[in-house]
Amino acid sequence: EGEGGEGLDAARSREVLSLLVLLTLGTGVGVGVLHNGQPVPQHVEGGHMIIHPGGRSCVCGQRGCLEAYVSAPAIARHIAEALVTRHPHEVLPSSLHALGERERRALSAIDLFDPVHEADPLARFLVSEICADLALGCLNLCRVFEPQAIVLAGGVSSAGPRLATLVTDELRKVWWTLSEPPLVAIAAAGSQSGMVGAAAAVRHTLPG
């Protein structure tokens, strides 16, 4: 069933899902659509929808793209910038500072969403920003495709179920009142979803 079919056991138990949107959050942001388990042959540049007009520069040449806010490099860059700029939400030194100094590496979404930092004001603020941006991207995709579920894949999805839960919370804040928002789930294959999906695509093209 390709990438989007991975990790949806909970969704299947709730209802039969015929239309899924896969949102891959890796070095960039990719969007795929599955209808009845089959990829829809449609090129969708969902990572370059504008969510903040005039916002951060994107590699595509635009400003304010979804990719410039929720891709793995964008999140790492945002964390690094926050750690060198004392933030109004930061009353005491953030636990992220200590982690960065101890690990001597750039921090990622996986670090940021680790429950150990859940009470940290700076971490909470950054998580809230990222999830709000991701929810806005999901909302726009819903208005175009009307999926029954959005599946998060790629390296950022390794942040785990907490990411899906918080994105759902933010999505509810901007969702209209006429219906419930779709399920937001984490792909079981996580950062390996691309390879799983590619293998499935090849399998579907083979005879027999």
Side-chain angles (χ1 to χ4, degrees):
E1 293 186 62
E3 299 175 52
E6 300 294 325
L8 286 176
D9 290 341
R12 287 197 182 102
S13 68
R14 190 180 75 174
E15 60 179 319
V16 176
L17 303 179
S18 60
L19 186 63
L20 310 179
V21 166
L22 176 72
L23 191 55
T24 303
L25 310 169
T27 53
V29 172
V31 173
V33 182
L34 287 176
H35 182 250
N36 292 328
Q38 300 299 316
V40 175
Q42 182 177 358
H43 187 65
V44 181
E45 287 288 357
H48 298 289
M49 70 173 82
I50 304 296
I51 61 167
H52 292 292
R56 298 178 194 164
S57 297
C58 182
V59 294
C60 73
Q62 298 182 142
R63 300 186 71 90
C65 292
L66 180 65
E67 184 172 302
Y69 290 85
V70 300
S71 67
I75 292 174
R77 200 159 44 242
H78 193 30
I79 296 171
E81 290 170 357
L83 289 177
V84 297
T85 305
R86 189 163 183 82
H87 200 277
H89 289 73
E90 189 179 357
V91 179
L92 298 172
S94 171
S95 58
L96 296 174
H97 284 101
L99 178 63
E101 292 173 1
R102 184 172 67 250
E103 298 288 337
R104 296 185 178 277
R105 61 172 173 79
L107 302 185
S108 68
I110 297 174
D111 298 311
L112 187 62
F113 281 83
D114 189 322
V116 73
H117 304 297
E118 195 168 349
D120 183 275
L122 179 59
R124 288 172 65 89
F125 177 76
L126 293 174
V127 164
S128 176
E129 280 195 326
I130 292 165
C131 290
D133 288 336
L134 192 46
L136 188 55
C138 289
L139 176 70
N140 291 335
L141 291 170
C142 288
R143 293 297 173 260
V144 176
F145 297 107
E146 296 187 343
Q148 293 156 299
I150 296 177
V151 183
L152 305 180
V156 173
S157 72
S158 297
R162 184 172 175 235
L163 171 64
T165 298
L166 294 176
V167 170
T168 299
D169 291 343
E170 292 295 331
L171 184 56
R172 288 183 182 280
K173 293 177 184 178
V174 293
W175 195 261
W176 50 26
T177 58
L178 301 178
S179 63
E180 285 291 306
L183 174 77
V184 178
I186 300 292
S191 61
Q192 304 301 315
S193 294
M195 289 187 287
V196 173
V202 171
R203 184 188 65 199
H204 285 308
T205 63
L206 295 176

